[in-house]
């Protein structure tokens, strides 16, 4: 063994002992172990429990207990009963995402490329609302959009709202709340991509007689695509499952699927239906993300 330890390598250095080589191979797995245990205990096991609850006998209850009857019918029954809330969740999230892109992309570009010494201050301004509770921020929007608030009064004065027009308790209020609350999740990844953009590439495009719009389409947008993909996913996924904005800024007519799941677990105590709805929402989001990543990856290659 001592002879093997001093056999010269191709670089002229002695080879490490076999024991040290074995430890070096195990080191990456040891570093991953805490995270793997965390995911197993707090993600995988609850996910298995949720999957089991979705197949319980729907006739059971907390008082009488639930029997595992492999009731796969819970899924189509839940989807049929709450299809409007499902479609409304994805519709509101998609509209909010479009609004966030229209505001967030120019904002991220301005901070990354044009802000100069004000860059850090503007980044703090983007992140600062997240230092406050999500609930408090949503309640603040309830005050801003109230019927007696300054915003509604201004819109009535310029005749964009009728005398009895309102913003609160409407789909507009829910979409605005989603856009505001999740906008930083879109801006920050976009900023990270745009901050690495070399301005000389835009200068080269201009020298080659590219218009500003064409330079954006051929240079800026492709180079910012990783941040755009990450930002849209970080925005869309939590927005689809959100229920606070619809609860505080809307009415039951604006409820999303998150409100139904919350009610199933905490009000009606219908655990099989709540678990089935949760899995249906998870599956729908995963399918959309998979298709989106495939399309985005193809377009980035092209």
């Amino acid at each position: 063994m001592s002879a093997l330890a001093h056999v010269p390598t191709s670089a002229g250095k002695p080879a490490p002992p076999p024991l040290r080589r074995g430890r070096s191979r195990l080191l990456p797995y040891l570093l991953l172990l805490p995270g793997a245990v965390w995911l197993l205990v707090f993600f995988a096991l609850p996910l298995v429990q949720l999957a089991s609850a979705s197949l319980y006998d729907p006739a059971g209850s907390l008082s009488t207990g639930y029997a595992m009857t492999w009731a796969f019918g819970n899924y189509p029954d839940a989807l049929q009963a709450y299809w409007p809330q499902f479609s409304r969740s994805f519709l509101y999230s998609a509209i909010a995402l479009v609004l966030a892109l229209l505001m967030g992309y120019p904002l991220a570009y301005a901070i990354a490329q044009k802000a100069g010494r004000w860059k850090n201050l503007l980044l703090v301004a983007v992140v600062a609302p997240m230092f406050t509770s999500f609930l408090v921020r949503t309640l603040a929007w309830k005050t801003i959009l109230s019927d007696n608030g300054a915003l509604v009064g201004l819109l009535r004065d310029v005749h964009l709202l009728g005398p009895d027009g309102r913003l609160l308790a409407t789909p507009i209020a829910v979409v605005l709340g989603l856009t505001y609350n999740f906008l930083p999740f879109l801006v920050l990844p976009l900023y990270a991509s745009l901050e690495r953009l070399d301005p000389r590439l835009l200068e080269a495009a201009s020298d080659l007689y590219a218009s500003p719009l064409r330079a954006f389409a051929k240079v800026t947008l492709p180079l910012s695509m990783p941040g755009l993909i990450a930002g849209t996913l970080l925005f869309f996924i939590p927005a689809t499952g959100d229920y606070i904005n619809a609860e505080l800024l809307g009415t039951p007519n604006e409820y999303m699927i998150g409100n139904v799941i919350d009610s199933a677990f905490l009000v009606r105590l219908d655990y099989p239906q709540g678990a089935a709805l949760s899995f249906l929402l998870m599956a729908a989001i995963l399918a959309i993300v998979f298709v989106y990543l495939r399309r985005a990856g193809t377009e980035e290659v092209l």
Side-chain angles (χ1 to χ4, degrees), residues 20-273:
R20 288 182 59 188
R21 291 201 301 269
R23 288 177 178 175
S24 63
R25 294 193 192 99
L26 289 176
L27 183 59
Y29 298 102
L30 292 176
L31 294 175
L32 289 174
L33 184 61
V37 172
W38 178 276
L39 289 175
L40 176 65
V41 174
F42 295 104
F43 179 75
L45 293 180
L47 194 64
V48 171
Q49 178 60 34
L50 190 67
S52 300
S54 69
L55 300 176
Y56 287 162
D57 184 2
S61 66
L62 285 179
S63 58
T64 61
Y66 289 101
M68 170 56 75
T69 59
W70 302 97
F72 288 98
N74 291 338
Y75 287 92
D77 291 345
L79 185 61
Q80 183 178 6
Y82 297 105
W83 174 251
Q85 287 81 359
F86 258 105
S87 58
R88 189 179 300 130
S89 297
F90 289 101
L91 176 62
Y92 286 179
S93 300
I95 296 173
L97 178 59
V98 172
L99 292 176
L101 284 171
L102 292 176
M103 293 185 293
Y105 201 105
L107 176 61
Y109 183 85
I111 296 175
Q113 297 294 324
K114 306 296 183 181
R117 59 176 181 158
W118 301 101
K119 180 183 297 185
N120 292 335
L121 180 61
L122 291 174
L123 280 176
V124 170
V126 171
V127 179
M130 301 177 68
F131 298 160
T132 307
S133 167
F134 189 96
L135 182 62
V136 172
R137 299 200 308 268
T138 309
L139 287 172
W141 268 93
K142 188 172 184 178
T143 303
I144 293 171
L145 301 176
S146 64
D147 295 343
N148 299 322
L151 179 59
V152 172
L154 176 62
L155 293 176
R156 287 173 179 170
D157 291 339
V158 297
H159 303 290
L160 291 177
L161 279 178
D164 298 326
R166 60 185 324 209
L167 293 177
L168 192 62
T170 65
I172 295 175
V174 178
V175 171
L176 290 177
L178 292 173
T179 305
Y180 167 77
N181 279 306
F182 296 107
L183 183 62
F185 295 103
L186 176 68
V187 172
L188 293 179
L190 270 173
Y191 164 79
S193 288
L194 291 169
E195 198 269 338
R196 295 192 296 266
L197 180 64
D198 191 345
R200 293 175 297 180
L201 296 175
L202 297 177
E203 294 176 4
S206 177
D207 292 341
L208 295 172
Y209 302 102
S211 65
L213 183 60
R214 186 170 180 81
F216 171 80
K218 295 297 183 180
V219 179
T220 305
L221 184 60
L223 292 178
S224 65
M225 191 58 70
L228 183 62
I229 293 173
T232 51
L233 292 179
L234 288 174
F235 183 100
F236 182 79
I237 293 174
T240 305
D242 179 71
Y243 67 95
I244 295 295
N245 287 278
E247 180 75 28
L248 297 180
L249 303 179
T251 67
N253 293 328
E254 286 79 43
Y255 275 4
M256 301 165 65
I257 194 60
N259 301 93
V260 178
I261 294 173
D262 173 71
S263 175
F265 277 114
L266 301 180
V267 179
R268 294 183 284 112
L269 303 180
D270 190 347
Y271 284 14
Q273 187 181 77

